[in-house]
């Protein structure tokens, strides 16, 4: 088990702001359970704060970042099922891509009908499918 703790000190002279606050506490644990052959990994964001609009703290605490459990089946454990929730490794910014291709997992949505910018429409005209 590990704990990751971060404290922020933010200074914004234009907004006359000097604020110190604990910004992140993550609890990370992983391993195998002694009986049954189960293994797990959990990354829990117990505390997550940042300065938001109006220079007030925005709190998005108590959420899982990554979590999975491996469950073996059969007498010898030859088959394993993994139940998981993972974050994407990187965000995809469609305005900075080199071609019209993108990962299949990120290409299933359509832009809203009122989207007027190339960033939201991925270069297509509003109201038309690519």
């Amino acid at each position: 088990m590990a704990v990751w703790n971060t404290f922020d000190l933010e200074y914004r002279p234009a907004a006359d702001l000097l604020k110190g606050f604990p910004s992140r506490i993550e609890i990370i644990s992983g391993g195998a359970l002694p009986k049954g052959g189960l293994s797990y990994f959990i990354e829990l964001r117990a505390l997550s704060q940042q300065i938001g609009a109006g220079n007030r703290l925005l709190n998005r605490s108590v959420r899982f970042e990554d979590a999975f459990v491996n469950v073996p089946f059969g007498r010898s454990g030859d088959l394993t099922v993994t139940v998981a929730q993972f974050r994407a490794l990187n965000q995809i910014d469609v305005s900075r891509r080199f071609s019209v291709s993108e990962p299949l997992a990120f290409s299933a949505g359509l832009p809203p009908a009122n989207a007027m910018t190339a960033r939201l429409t991925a270069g297509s005209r509003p109201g038309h499918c690519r």
Side-chain angles (χ1 to χ4, degrees):
M1 178 180 271
V3 176
W4 176 8
N5 185 11
T6 306
F7 185 87
D8 284 4
L9 178 62
E10 200 157 329
Y11 174 60
R12 297 180 189 174
D16 193 28
L17 172 73
L18 177 62
K19 192 175 271 193
F21 56 96
S23 60
R24 176 189 307 201
I25 297 176
E26 286 190 20
I27 300 168
I28 304 164
S29 180
L33 301 178
K35 296 201 177 208
L38 293 165
S39 60
Y40 73 97
F41 176 83
I42 296 173
E43 184 178 352
L44 174 69
R45 177 88 51 109
L47 177 71
S48 179
Q49 298 186 119
Q50 66 189 47
I51 295 179
N55 297 329
R56 296 183 4 195
L57 282 180
L58 174 65
N59 191 339
R60 301 179 326 156
S61 300
V62 190
R63 60 191 168 121
F64 285 104
E65 293 290 309
D66 294 317
F68 69 82
V69 176
N70 290 318
V71 182
F73 284 98
R75 291 184 187 158
S76 61
D78 294 338
L79 177 65
T80 302
V81 173
T82 302
V83 178
Q85 177 252 304
F86 292 101
R87 295 173 281 174
L89 292 176
N90 286 320
Q91 293 182 348
I92 302 297
D93 184 352
V94 296
S95 67
R96 300 187 73 192
R97 63 184 174 193
F98 293 113
S99 70
V100 293
S101 65
E102 62 188 19
L104 182 60
F106 299 111
S107 64
L110 293 173
N114 61 351
M116 299 305 293
T117 67
R119 178 171 164 71
L120 294 176
T121 62
S124 65
R125 291 178 294 170
H128 294 83
C129 294
R130 293 187 294 185

